[in-house]
Amino acid sequence: MEYATEIGRDVGRAVDLLKKSELVAVPTQTVYGLAGNALDEEAIAKIFQVKNRPSFDPLITHIASIDWLETLCKDIPDEAYQVAQAFWPGPLTMTLPRKNHIPDILCSGLPAMAIRMPSHNLFRELLGLLCFPLAAPSANPFTYISPTSSQHVLDQLGGKIPYILDGGACEIGIESTIIHFEKGEVILLREGAIDQESLQKVLGKPLIIPKKNIKIAPGAHKKHYAPNKKVIIGDIAQLIPKFDQDDIGIISFQKQYVPDGRLPQEVLSPSGDLKEAAKNLFKALRTIDNASVSTILMEYVPNYGIGRAINERIRKAGEIE
Ligand code: TXA
Ligand code: MG
């Protein structure tokens, strides 16, 4: 079906559409999501179709209040309440054993479902008006860069969905952190907006960091968050002379490597602030991906706090020289 996609702030319109099994793109603090009724198989099937997402890659369910946990999940460990109390509403997702009434298609048949309570005002208002939770993966085609503005969503999903709820630019700019509980341990499935240090402080113990792709994290693809252009990661100053100067763009952390205007160049945070870098990362990737160059040169950011999550996105966007 082809839609004349509209952008607006009409929450009532979003409610009407969602009740009719339609999809609405929604703002969150992290990235824009592509939302549908999490308990409605028809809506969920549409999400997979619009995103071109393989059916083995499950969706995150977004809830309005903590009461929903008991409605959707079972065998909830105390630690889950502990982290929920500390980080919800906010950019933390937990995977928990799901109850029988949860559609298999939502969770790709896994015994656990991913769940989070988001903090964006407009999205919370929307969730509060609905009597069902919302499944919402990032609102980008599978493997491409996540959207951090309503315009990004329109550029990619225009014509495929009826409505984009516009909540401005996303405050954090990278996705939520995902944790999984198993046999008394807490496993980090995805680095994200909440850093390991903060989680460990609340848990009072170290997180388990899986060494390689594990079965419980079906979405941990090697290629992800990727632009169409070739991304090469390394020492930018050393890389620049190896390429045709008319054919490269640069995304750096803090330093400007060539004078302004000589080639497409994005500096993530001139002051060296990792939070600012996270907020600008996906926008910068899109900007250079749309420039007329074939290669993007990138460098890692300092590897602590949210920097780890940024580096994980950079690693998946490119290849190391
Ligand atoms: O910040 C976010 O989390 C954004 C906003 C829109 O909420 N959402 C998001 O969703 O990033 P998505 O679908 O792009 O990424 C969710 C990841 C996928 O890698 C998926 O495989 C994993 O979560 N996931 C979902 N359900 C899971 C489950 N039951 N067990 C393990 N991993 C799961
Ligand atoms: Mg995604």
Side-chain angles (χ1 to χ4, degrees):
M1 177 149 178
E2 178 83 18
Y3 295 93
T5 309
E6 283 177 46
I7 300 184
R9 296 178 58 85
D10 186 347
V11 177
R13 171 96 192 275
V15 168
D16 289 344
L17 286 163
L18 290 161
K19 281 185 179 164
K20 286 189 279 189
S21 306
E22 295 284 358
L23 306 186
V24 173
V26 294
T28 85
Q29 216 184 355
T30 57
V31 300
Y32 272 72
L34 178 62
N37 180 348
L39 304 176
D40 171 356
E41 295 191 4
E42 186 189 335
I44 303 165
K46 277 187 193 163
I47 295 180
F48 280 98
Q49 193 196 351
V50 166
K51 262 190 78 94
N52 203 10
R53 182 175 180 124
S55 59
F56 60 76
D57 195 357
L59 308 180
I60 296 177
T61 296
H62 297 71
I63 55 174
S65 69
I66 198 139
D67 309 337
W68 275 100
L69 267 191
E70 307 269 328
T71 312
L72 305 172
C73 306
K74 58 185 181 187
D75 307 329
I76 304 167
D78 289 344
E79 279 174 332
Y81 286 105
Q82 215 177 319
V83 287
Q85 197 138 38
F87 300 110
W88 281 1
L92 181 81
T93 300
M94 302 193 264
T95 65
L96 293 166
R98 61 180 164 116
K99 285 194 170 159
N100 286 343
H101 67 98
I102 307 301
D104 279 338
I105 172 178
L106 177 72
C107 311
S108 305
L110 291 170
M113 71 185 291
I115 194 157
R116 94 172 176 99
M117 188 165 118
S119 65
H120 192 288
N121 280 345
L122 208 55
F123 190 19
R124 281 176 62 73
E125 187 186 334
L126 172 63
L127 282 168
L129 292 169
L130 295 167
C131 55
F132 48 81
L134 290 176
S138 50
N140 51 289
F142 185 60
T143 78
Y144 195 68
I145 307 160
S146 299
T148 52
S149 73
S150 54
Q151 185 61 44
H152 293 166
V153 180
L154 186 69
D155 290 345
Q156 291 184 300
L157 301 184
K160 295 184 172 167
I161 53 173
Y163 198 59
I164 301 170
L165 194 59
D166 185 4
C170 299
E171 208 180 302
I172 296 177
I174 57 173
E175 298 85 348
S176 63
T177 303
I178 307 181
I179 54 172
H180 178 77
F181 300 91
E182 200 167 277
K183 298 183 189 122
E185 298 197 304
V186 187
I187 303 166
L188 182 69
L189 295 189
R190 178 173 74 183
E191 301 264 12
I194 292 179
D195 61 43
Q196 292 178 25
E197 293 87 341
S198 312
L199 270 164
Q200 286 172 172
K201 215 161 139 194
V202 168
L203 288 165
K205 65 180 186 187
L207 287 166
I208 307 293
I209 319 288
K211 284 268 171 326
K212 51 180 184 278
N213 284 3
I214 47 170
K215 245 199 184 142
I216 52 169
H221 318 283
K222 244 176 157 175
K223 182 179 176 239
H224 206 150
Y225 317 111
N228 296 317
K229 305 284 164 67
K230 188 171 174 174
V231 174
I232 294 180
I233 309 160
D235 181 325
I236 292 178
Q238 283 180 20
L239 287 171
I240 291 172
K242 294 186 185 168
F243 290 86
D244 172 353
Q245 300 299 291
D246 293 328
D247 200 31
I248 51 170
I250 295 173
I251 302 177
S252 63
F253 172 47
Q254 187 174 8
K255 196 171 150 194
Q256 184 161 350
Y257 284 94
V258 294
D260 240 351
R262 213 178 88 195
L263 47 79
Q265 179 174 221
E266 295 288 322
V267 180
L268 296 178
S269 172
S271 67
D273 175 356
L274 285 170
K275 278 195 175 149
E276 186 184 23
K279 187 171 178 179
N280 289 329
L281 177 69
F282 288 148
K283 191 174 64 180
L285 273 166
R286 274 169 194 269
T287 303
I288 309 278
D289 204 28
N290 290 327
S292 53
V293 295
S294 69
T295 304
I296 306 171
L297 307 182
M298 285 188 88
E299 62 187 1
Y300 286 124
V301 304
N303 202 43
Y304 58 84
I306 201 170
R308 276 203 214 93
I310 298 174
N311 284 338
E312 194 251 351
R313 273 65 177 172
I314 294 175
R315 191 173 309 120
K316 287 192 168 172
E319 49 191 82
I320 297 169
E321 182 72 345

